[in-house]
Amino acid sequence: MLKEKVEKALNEQIELEQFSSQLYLAMASWAEKNGYNGTANFLYEHSDEEREHMLKLFHYVNDRGSHAIVPQSEKPESEYKSVQKVFEEIYEHEKMISEKINQLVGICYEEKDFTTVNFLQWYVAEQIEEENLFGTILDKLNLLGGDKAKMYMFDNEMEKLTTAPPSDTSL
Ligand code: FEO
């Protein structure tokens, strides 16, 4: 059974991962409605990945004899100003998630729960990948500067990234 503090912190992380999934789903819908189908597909896929992150934590909590709680997710925004703004928001969001994972690992150390520290190493590594991926996409968008023809090419590249292995951050 997990210590109370660890269980609470893991349930909070479940809530955050669920919100990430909802957020990327809302962004995917906006992108699709605005003709950015490649970006939409990439975001739909990423929304699914966030649900997997949530479920992995969820099963871990129950496997340790504690109780995973289904989060009540906050409703994300449905309108966004531009693709660039979407990725700026995602990048900031992922940096916040990395910080939360680090805090969670800190709590586990304080509680001497080294099994959970070990389990969370996957999330630590995943966050490095996610920050790299979204940082790279954002750098690319900053270079394009909103040029319409180039944005069309960007969207095609996002489609290619959708079917690429998760560790592939090249554009
Ligand atoms: Fe589950 Fe994008 O972090």
Side-chain angles (χ1 to χ4, degrees):
M1 194 123 163
L2 293 165
K3 291 196 177 136
E4 209 179 310
K5 224 174 151 183
V6 173
E7 180 178 358
K8 184 172 176 284
L10 286 170
N11 270 312
E12 282 167 9
Q13 193 62 36
I14 285 173
E15 196 168 333
L16 281 171
E17 300 291 344
Q18 175 67 24
F19 179 70
S20 302
S21 178
Q22 300 282 88
L23 178 65
Y24 301 159
L25 189 61
M27 289 168 165
S29 179
W30 174 85
E32 192 168 41
K33 285 280 154 202
N34 284 276
Y36 295 107
N37 290 345
T39 303
N41 288 339
F42 171 83
L43 290 169
Y44 279 127
E45 188 176 272
H46 215 81
S47 170
D48 285 346
E49 277 183 28
E50 296 298 350
R51 181 174 154 79
E52 282 167 24
H53 297 175
M54 184 276 285
L55 280 174
K56 199 176 162 86
L57 284 159
F58 204 89
H59 291 307
Y60 177 78
V61 171
N62 277 2
D63 287 349
R64 292 288 308 275
S66 295
H67 193 179
I69 307 295
V70 176
Q72 185 183 19
S73 203
E74 183 191 328
K75 188 174 179 228
E77 292 293 329
S78 51
E79 294 298 333
Y80 298 89
K81 284 203 172 79
S82 63
V83 171
Q84 186 157 354
K85 291 278 176 213
V86 163
F87 282 99
E88 277 172 12
E89 190 173 329
I90 295 177
Y91 188 50
E92 290 308 313
H93 182 76
E94 289 297 339
K95 284 198 286 187
M96 181 274 285
I97 296 287
S98 299
E99 189 51 42
K100 294 287 185 186
I101 294 284
N102 288 338
Q103 286 170 9
L104 185 49
V105 172
I107 290 169
C108 295
Y109 270 115
E110 277 166 25
E111 296 293 312
K112 297 191 170 27
D113 182 346
F114 302 115
T115 308
T116 306
V117 168
N118 196 37
F119 166 78
L120 289 171
Q121 290 316 300
W122 183 88
Y123 287 85
V124 171
E126 178 69 13
Q127 282 313 119
I128 294 171
E129 274 194 23
E130 300 246 303
E131 281 193 37
N132 276 341
L133 171 65
F134 291 114
T136 306
I137 293 172
L138 199 52
D139 284 347
K140 178 89 176 174
L141 279 166
N142 286 336
L143 279 174
L144 300 184
D147 179 282
K148 281 222 161 75
K150 287 180 184 161
M151 282 306 291
Y152 178 77
M153 282 164 62
F154 168 86
D155 194 57
N156 281 340
E157 287 181 38
M158 292 304 286
E159 184 72 71
K160 280 184 228 149
L161 204 57
T162 304
T163 48
S167 59
D168 186 352
T169 57
S170 62
L171 276 171

